Amino acid sequence: MKQQGIDDLSNACEKTDDGVKWKQLEHKGPYFAPLYEPLPDDVKFYYDGKPMKLNVATEEIATFYAKMLDHEYTTKEIFQNNFFYDWRKEMTSEERKKIKHLEKCDFKEMHKYFVDKNEARKALPKEEKQKLKEEADKIQEEYGYCILDGHREKIGNFKTEPPGLFRGRGDHPKMGMLKKRIMPEDVIINCSKDSQTPEPPSGHKWKEVRCDNTVTWLASWTENIQNSIKYIMLNPSSKLKGEKDWQKYEVARRLKGVVNKIRSQYRADWKSREMKKRQRSVALYFIDKLALRAGNEKEEGETADTVGCCSLRVEHIKLHPELDGQEHVVEFDFLGKDSIRYYNKVPVEKPVFKNLQLFMENKDPGDDLFDRLNTTVLNKHLQDLMDGLTAKVFRTYNASITLQEQLKALTDAEDNVAAKLLSYNRANRAVAILCNHQRATPKSFEKSMQNLQAKIDAKKEQLGEAQMELKRAKADLKAKKDSLLAEGKQLLKLNVQATDKEENKQIALGTSKLNYLDPRISVAWCKKFGVPIEKIYNKTQREKFAWAIDMADEDFEF
DNA sequence: GGAAGGACTTGCGAGCACTCTT
DNA sequence: AAGAGTGCTCGCAAGTCCTTCC
């Protein structure tokens, strides 16, 4: 591997303001999605029952739709309309004259072609598969790494996104629109001046090559659906990302020091004469207590209708003066990030309840609950309370502190490793529930639960038998006792497994583990209770959290 | 001061790869 | 050896929050 530029950095970019500021960045540029291969002649598209040869560009877009035929997306009207509208834009004028209705388009042959092709690929002999893997590894090796200030670092996403049909989440108004192919002419390269500038594919040029050491991306382009910029950045295992991660948790730890003061302050503000302050203090209470997201405004009609705290509308909450024997209950029901439903019934303190009644007076269901508040206002206030404080820090703080407290409460030093891990998972789960990290119940859940139960029943029987035998055979006592003990232990372990699985049915632990829980808490816990770190972090996670594994000893306190 | 643009983190699900069972 | 089940990686959408521009 070339190590050019490590010793000679005299030519490197200089920028003096704060920020990332690397001295050397060298890479190969993005790896481009493979070009379109036209369909064989015998795979036909039919319009109105008659075969029709499409122009290559038109055909390519048709294949995007054909590939998705058995996906639910293609049954949705918005998806169909958006696709058809964009498809027609790319047709030749003759094609456009002919193809006027999507219902008359028959993609079935094309669809079958791709299904078959996919199966053929899966059925490939081992050696062929091995060869394909080696080719992929070669590409990874060549394009998947960069050199940043003398260190070889893994890149997160070194490939451009392939063209296709946009799939939004939830009720997205743009679903089905055509995502265009990214060409070198769309791509901005960022690298140091002294480094070897990456070569664009032959016959092509980059949109721009720049040297901006205040940012961390290697390449970028603007996508055509939302007109937003996409970036090629480093892998979480990189030093740069690790340092940022560490910083994030340090900010959250600083919040720990002032959170009591902030809480008494927002409680006081519930009685403020200013409406703006009251709204701010109630919103902050939600963000703190319920770990809600900030809730930026969104452009209407451009994205799915989802909300966070500051963008909650009257229709998203119901007030119950009394519910199930509890007073002042707020019932939340709204779609949050990724159109995941947030549903929760929460007893709140009386002033909060009274304030909410006030905020909702004379408003329609579609009106903003906090009409005098937005995330900019809220974050400005938070910044005054603590340097670096923003709404999202509360999520990080409350997630991490909850893990630490739960681990303390649930872990029994006398337990075996399996039981300790159940405790760990339960603590992790408490956080995931707080942050509303959900998942669809896995498809094989019922079945695999039954299998596990069958195993447990079998083990119980074995245990019973061993007990009987022990009674019968007084001789050979030691061996029988041991086998009894072993069976008992296995049963316990299976029961633990089953409990864990059941409790985890609809909860996703990954997001909190990766993004909200200070890894030093987990590392310290492992060290303190003699649990190998591999039991809670897999290889990738250990790479991402290398900084924490290095740093934390068993008495680390968040 | 507010809209638009930009950079970066967070989030879920699909599909692949690996393991375990039969 | 094959098939099922599970864990892990990757893709890329969708957030947050800061900066820039008028």
PDB file of all heavy atoms in Angstrom, chain A residues 30 38 103 105 150 159 195 209 219 259 279 301 350 360 382 453-454 480 535 546:
ATOM      1  N   PRO A  30     -15.528   7.142  -5.654  1.00  0.00           N
ATOM      2  CA  PRO A  30     -16.563   6.122  -5.485  1.00  0.00           C
ATOM      3  C   PRO A  30     -16.457   5.014  -6.520  1.00  0.00           C
ATOM      4  O   PRO A  30     -15.892   5.209  -7.603  1.00  0.00           O
ATOM      5  CB  PRO A  30     -17.864   6.893  -5.664  1.00  0.00           C
ATOM      6  CG  PRO A  30     -17.512   8.117  -6.423  1.00  0.00           C
ATOM      7  CD  PRO A  30     -16.075   8.423  -6.135  1.00  0.00           C
ATOM      8  N   PRO A  38     -28.860  -4.497 -21.433  1.00  0.00           N
ATOM      9  CA  PRO A  38     -30.172  -4.687 -22.073  1.00  0.00           C
ATOM     10  C   PRO A  38     -30.650  -6.130 -21.957  1.00  0.00           C
ATOM     11  O   PRO A  38     -29.837  -7.053 -21.867  1.00  0.00           O
ATOM     12  CB  PRO A  38     -29.907  -4.325 -23.535  1.00  0.00           C
ATOM     13  CG  PRO A  38     -28.710  -3.454 -23.499  1.00  0.00           C
ATOM     14  CD  PRO A  38     -27.879  -3.925 -22.350  1.00  0.00           C
ATOM     15  N   GLU A 103     -51.954   0.311 -16.750  1.00  0.00           N
ATOM     16  CA  GLU A 103     -52.680  -0.974 -16.661  1.00  0.00           C
ATOM     17  C   GLU A 103     -52.450  -1.825 -17.913  1.00  0.00           C
ATOM     18  O   GLU A 103     -52.590  -3.049 -17.871  1.00  0.00           O
ATOM     19  CB  GLU A 103     -54.201  -0.810 -16.523  1.00  0.00           C
ATOM     20  CG  GLU A 103     -54.712   0.292 -15.635  1.00  0.00           C
ATOM     21  CD  GLU A 103     -54.706   1.635 -16.347  1.00  0.00           C
ATOM     22  OE1 GLU A 103     -55.613   1.919 -17.152  1.00  0.00           O
ATOM     23  OE2 GLU A 103     -53.749   2.403 -16.076  1.00  0.00           O
ATOM     24  N   CYS A 105     -49.663  -2.083 -19.449  1.00  0.00           N
ATOM     25  CA  CYS A 105     -48.274  -2.544 -19.527  1.00  0.00           C
ATOM     26  C   CYS A 105     -48.155  -3.910 -18.873  1.00  0.00           C
ATOM     27  O   CYS A 105     -48.605  -4.119 -17.758  1.00  0.00           O
ATOM     28  CB  CYS A 105     -47.346  -1.575 -18.808  1.00  0.00           C
ATOM     29  SG  CYS A 105     -47.307   0.047 -19.555  1.00  0.00           S
ATOM     30  N   GLY A 150      -2.239   9.678   7.288  1.00  0.00           N
ATOM     31  CA  GLY A 150      -1.266   8.600   7.452  1.00  0.00           C
ATOM     32  C   GLY A 150      -1.850   7.263   7.883  1.00  0.00           C
ATOM     33  O   GLY A 150      -1.142   6.270   7.915  1.00  0.00           O
ATOM     34  N   LYS A 159     -19.658   2.864  -2.599  1.00  0.00           N
ATOM     35  CA  LYS A 159     -20.351   2.724  -3.884  1.00  0.00           C
ATOM     36  C   LYS A 159     -21.403   3.819  -4.055  1.00  0.00           C
ATOM     37  O   LYS A 159     -22.071   4.185  -3.097  1.00  0.00           O
ATOM     38  CB  LYS A 159     -21.054   1.373  -3.951  1.00  0.00           C
ATOM     39  CG  LYS A 159     -20.115   0.199  -3.978  1.00  0.00           C
ATOM     40  CD  LYS A 159     -20.903  -1.084  -3.840  1.00  0.00           C
ATOM     41  CE  LYS A 159     -19.984  -2.289  -3.958  1.00  0.00           C
ATOM     42  NZ  LYS A 159     -20.661  -3.531  -3.562  1.00  0.00           N
ATOM     43  N   SER A 195      -2.375  14.840  -2.490  1.00  0.00           N
ATOM     44  CA  SER A 195      -2.658  13.426  -2.736  1.00  0.00           C
ATOM     45  C   SER A 195      -2.908  13.172  -4.210  1.00  0.00           C
ATOM     46  O   SER A 195      -3.170  14.087  -4.989  1.00  0.00           O
ATOM     47  CB  SER A 195      -3.886  12.985  -1.941  1.00  0.00           C
ATOM     48  OG  SER A 195      -5.066  13.451  -2.574  1.00  0.00           O
ATOM     49  N   VAL A 209     -13.275  18.792  -8.187  1.00  0.00           N
ATOM     50  CA  VAL A 209     -12.362  18.239  -7.195  1.00  0.00           C
ATOM     51  C   VAL A 209     -12.028  19.366  -6.248  1.00  0.00           C
ATOM     52  O   VAL A 209     -11.620  20.439  -6.682  1.00  0.00           O
ATOM     53  CB  VAL A 209     -11.065  17.708  -7.845  1.00  0.00           C
ATOM     54  CG1 VAL A 209     -10.102  17.203  -6.773  1.00  0.00           C
ATOM     55  CG2 VAL A 209     -11.367  16.609  -8.842  1.00  0.00           C
ATOM     56  N   ALA A 219     -16.513  12.103  -0.965  1.00  0.00           N
ATOM     57  CA  ALA A 219     -17.173  12.395  -2.234  1.00  0.00           C
ATOM     58  C   ALA A 219     -18.634  12.683  -1.956  1.00  0.00           C
ATOM     59  O   ALA A 219     -19.173  12.242  -0.935  1.00  0.00           O
ATOM     60  CB  ALA A 219     -17.025  11.214  -3.189  1.00  0.00           C
ATOM     61  N   VAL A 259     -28.486  18.378  34.961  1.00  0.00           N
ATOM     62  CA  VAL A 259     -29.853  17.996  34.620  1.00  0.00           C
ATOM     63  C   VAL A 259     -30.849  18.316  35.753  1.00  0.00           C
ATOM     64  O   VAL A 259     -31.988  18.717  35.485  1.00  0.00           O
ATOM     65  CB  VAL A 259     -29.941  16.514  34.192  1.00  0.00           C
ATOM     66  CG1 VAL A 259     -29.804  15.567  35.372  1.00  0.00           C
ATOM     67  CG2 VAL A 259     -31.219  16.247  33.420  1.00  0.00           C
ATOM     68  N   GLN A 279     -44.819  26.715  26.866  1.00  0.00           N
ATOM     69  CA  GLN A 279     -44.748  25.687  25.828  1.00  0.00           C
ATOM     70  C   GLN A 279     -43.360  25.053  25.792  1.00  0.00           C
ATOM     71  O   GLN A 279     -43.222  23.829  25.702  1.00  0.00           O
ATOM     72  CB  GLN A 279     -45.096  26.295  24.460  1.00  0.00           C
ATOM     73  CG  GLN A 279     -46.542  26.757  24.392  1.00  0.00           C
ATOM     74  CD  GLN A 279     -47.027  27.010  22.976  1.00  0.00           C
ATOM     75  OE1 GLN A 279     -46.262  26.939  22.016  1.00  0.00           O
ATOM     76  NE2 GLN A 279     -48.314  27.305  22.847  1.00  0.00           N
ATOM     77  N   GLY A 301     -45.994  17.790   1.876  1.00  0.00           N
ATOM     78  CA  GLY A 301     -46.099  17.225   0.534  1.00  0.00           C
ATOM     79  C   GLY A 301     -44.792  16.681  -0.017  1.00  0.00           C
ATOM     80  O   GLY A 301     -44.764  16.029  -1.045  1.00  0.00           O
ATOM     81  N   LYS A 350     -49.662  17.570  37.385  1.00  0.00           N
ATOM     82  CA  LYS A 350     -50.865  18.372  37.173  1.00  0.00           C
ATOM     83  C   LYS A 350     -50.634  19.653  36.363  1.00  0.00           C
ATOM     84  O   LYS A 350     -51.400  19.944  35.446  1.00  0.00           O
ATOM     85  CB  LYS A 350     -51.503  18.705  38.530  1.00  0.00           C
ATOM     86  CG  LYS A 350     -52.889  19.282  38.416  1.00  0.00           C
ATOM     87  CD  LYS A 350     -53.539  19.431  39.770  1.00  0.00           C
ATOM     88  CE  LYS A 350     -54.836  20.236  39.633  1.00  0.00           C
ATOM     89  NZ  LYS A 350     -55.418  20.527  40.952  1.00  0.00           N
ATOM     90  N   MET A 360     -54.395  23.633  23.987  1.00  0.00           N
ATOM     91  CA  MET A 360     -55.328  23.049  23.020  1.00  0.00           C
ATOM     92  C   MET A 360     -56.615  23.850  22.856  1.00  0.00           C
ATOM     93  O   MET A 360     -57.399  23.579  21.946  1.00  0.00           O
ATOM     94  CB  MET A 360     -55.665  21.604  23.438  1.00  0.00           C
ATOM     95  CG  MET A 360     -54.479  20.657  23.280  1.00  0.00           C
ATOM     96  SD  MET A 360     -54.669  19.101  24.148  1.00  0.00           S
ATOM     97  CE  MET A 360     -55.712  18.196  23.019  1.00  0.00           C
ATOM     98  N   LEU A 382     -31.614  25.772  25.142  1.00  0.00           N
ATOM     99  CA  LEU A 382     -30.786  24.710  25.725  1.00  0.00           C
ATOM    100  C   LEU A 382     -29.305  25.094  25.708  1.00  0.00           C
ATOM    101  O   LEU A 382     -28.565  24.837  26.648  1.00  0.00           O
ATOM    102  CB  LEU A 382     -31.007  23.390  24.976  1.00  0.00           C
ATOM    103  CG  LEU A 382     -32.402  22.765  25.144  1.00  0.00           C
ATOM    104  CD1 LEU A 382     -32.539  21.513  24.296  1.00  0.00           C
ATOM    105  CD2 LEU A 382     -32.687  22.451  26.607  1.00  0.00           C
ATOM    106  N   GLN A 453     -39.720 -24.205  22.973  1.00  0.00           N
ATOM    107  CA  GLN A 453     -40.580 -24.756  24.024  1.00  0.00           C
ATOM    108  C   GLN A 453     -40.502 -26.290  24.020  1.00  0.00           C
ATOM    109  O   GLN A 453     -40.430 -26.909  25.078  1.00  0.00           O
ATOM    110  CB  GLN A 453     -42.032 -24.293  23.816  1.00  0.00           C
ATOM    111  CG  GLN A 453     -42.908 -24.455  25.061  1.00  0.00           C
ATOM    112  CD  GLN A 453     -42.295 -23.797  26.295  1.00  0.00           C
ATOM    113  OE1 GLN A 453     -41.937 -22.614  26.254  1.00  0.00           O
ATOM    114  NE2 GLN A 453     -42.142 -24.547  27.379  1.00  0.00           N
ATOM    115  N   ALA A 454     -40.461 -26.863  22.812  1.00  0.00           N
ATOM    116  CA  ALA A 454     -40.356 -28.319  22.692  1.00  0.00           C
ATOM    117  C   ALA A 454     -39.061 -28.811  23.324  1.00  0.00           C
ATOM    118  O   ALA A 454     -39.031 -29.820  24.035  1.00  0.00           O
ATOM    119  CB  ALA A 454     -40.409 -28.725  21.223  1.00  0.00           C
ATOM    120  N   LYS A 480     -24.600 -40.152  38.630  1.00  0.00           N
ATOM    121  CA  LYS A 480     -26.003 -39.796  38.442  1.00  0.00           C
ATOM    122  C   LYS A 480     -26.281 -38.371  38.908  1.00  0.00           C
ATOM    123  O   LYS A 480     -26.983 -37.608  38.266  1.00  0.00           O
ATOM    124  CB  LYS A 480     -26.896 -40.770  39.224  1.00  0.00           C
ATOM    125  CG  LYS A 480     -26.809 -42.189  38.745  1.00  0.00           C
ATOM    126  CD  LYS A 480     -27.428 -42.352  37.363  1.00  0.00           C
ATOM    127  CE  LYS A 480     -27.279 -43.796  36.911  1.00  0.00           C
ATOM    128  NZ  LYS A 480     -27.329 -43.939  35.472  1.00  0.00           N
ATOM    129  N   LYS A 535     -19.513 -11.409  24.145  1.00  0.00           N
ATOM    130  CA  LYS A 535     -20.888 -11.853  24.398  1.00  0.00           C
ATOM    131  C   LYS A 535     -21.892 -10.723  24.159  1.00  0.00           C
ATOM    132  O   LYS A 535     -23.074 -10.964  23.934  1.00  0.00           O
ATOM    133  CB  LYS A 535     -21.038 -12.348  25.842  1.00  0.00           C
ATOM    134  CG  LYS A 535     -20.205 -13.558  26.165  1.00  0.00           C
ATOM    135  CD  LYS A 535     -20.907 -14.823  25.732  1.00  0.00           C
ATOM    136  CE  LYS A 535     -20.064 -16.038  26.102  1.00  0.00           C
ATOM    137  NZ  LYS A 535     -20.588 -17.265  25.530  1.00  0.00           N
ATOM    138  N   ALA A 546     -13.932   0.354  19.760  1.00  0.00           N
ATOM    139  CA  ALA A 546     -12.549   0.103  20.183  1.00  0.00           C
ATOM    140  C   ALA A 546     -12.079   1.163  21.187  1.00  0.00           C
ATOM    141  O   ALA A 546     -11.423   0.839  22.173  1.00  0.00           O
ATOM    142  CB  ALA A 546     -11.635   0.066  18.967  1.00  0.00           C
TER     143      ALA A 546
END
